[in-house]
Each structure stands twice: as structure tokens, then as C-alpha cells.
Amino acid sequence: VYADNIILMTETELEAEIMIADITEGITAAGYGWKPDSLEVVPCGNLADTDIQLSVQQNNATIHFKTVEQLQLLGNLVTNIASTSQAMRHRLTQTEKGFWKNYKKLRGQGASPPIKFEAWSSLIHNTAAFGSGWWCLDLANIREAHRWELHHLRKVFPMTHEENRQTYFEKTARRQEQLHNQHNQPYFIHKYLDNYYRNVHRHLHHKDTQDRNITQEIRDYRNRTWWN
């Protein structure tokens, strides 16, 4: 039986030990157990430089948590410094795999631009932007994401190479701008921004039946843990 990841966010090592013990008791009573090699702890904020020693008791044995600086969570990279750059590059690396696996389909020799853009948006934008609602807005990251997309779009919409590398880059960038405007297509950075502002809206306005904004409470708690 497969169960989803359990993520605990605590302010102290003692608090983590208590929460781990409570959950261990609950999953044991339900007939489940911990997967030993999946237990990881990411010290951050005031605890970033602390030697954290966490463990659980299972089947009369002690299983220790592995201390890491980052972990992959549901396709996203979580780091101990909450780095948007690292999270974004991880998503772009994952997207690159899908790009090359589907390169011939994306390039679609003879296919019209709208068909190519539909495939591009469906695969590249959705894969690269996964989890981007939680990224911070940073001009350097936006520029890097745009450069990455233009680099790969040049392979899907090829043009004759110029003698001068800079001239080639400028001409292909202008052509992409024309194609995107002509066919009313967004770039990846627009998807990134859209996810960010949608998440901000949910963060500010969504409330449950008890009039609590759980997303805001979790995010505020995370920020206190990491940055205070």
C-alpha cells in the first residue's frame, strides 16, 4: 500500500520528536510503518546549522532520520534556504528531459505554429511551471527562465544560422516575439507569473467553513520557521 508523504514543520527539535512519536503511534495502530530510507529532515532558519538527531522506533529497532539540505517533494525541490533559483532550475531540468523525449513531436516538421504552440504549452509550460505559485518573484529568475525557453524554442522553430552568434539570437528572439503576438501565445514566464498571483490570491482570500485561511496560516508558520 502506498501512502503520500507526511511533512512536518516544527520550530524546535523537541517539538519534532513529539509530533513524530504521535504520528508513529497512529500509523502503527493503522497497520502501517515508516519506510526507513525515506525519513529525512531539512534544518532551516535558526536551526540551519544545528546538528539535528531525529529517530523513530519501529519493530524494536531505531531508525534515524537523514539530515539533508534539500529534498524532492511531489516534483518540486525544497531547500534549507528556500531558494527559488534552485527550485526553478530543478523544474527546468525535469522539463528538459520531457523536451528531448518529445522533441520530434514538438518540432513537428510541417506543422503549423498553432499546433506547435499547443503542444509546447501542454508539455513544456505545464511541466516547467509546476509548483511555481510558491516561487518568489525575482527579475534574475524571470530572465533566466525566459532565456531557457528561447533557447529551446529555437530548436522547435528553427531558422538559418547567421555568421554572427549575437545576430542569430536577436533575429530568432524577434521572430518568436512576432509568432507569439500573431497567435496570441504566452511565454513560460507568463505562466510563472499567473501561478504566482493565483497563489497569492488564494493565500489572501480563501477560507474554509470555519472562516480560517489554512494556506496563510501554513505559509506564515513556514516563514517564521525559516526566517526568524
Side-chain angles (χ1 to χ4, degrees), residues 205-216:
H205 302 291
H206 179 75
K207 294 184 178 181
D208 62 15
T209 54
Q210 298 178 340
D211 201 36
R212 292 180 60 194
N213 188 329
I214 300 300
T215 303
Q216 183 175 353

Side-chain angles (χ1 to χ4, degrees), residues 174-200:
R174 283 196 300 269
R175 183 181 182 229
Q176 282 304 317
E177 190 72 19
Q178 292 168 356
L179 286 172
H180 277 73
N181 290 336
Q182 180 183 350
H183 300 285
N184 196 29
Q185 294 295 318
Y187 284 105
F188 163 58
I189 56 175
H190 298 132
K191 182 80 171 179
Y192 169 7
L193 293 171
D194 182 62
N195 285 351
Y196 174 83
Y197 285 111
R198 286 177 183 273
N199 187 60
V200 169

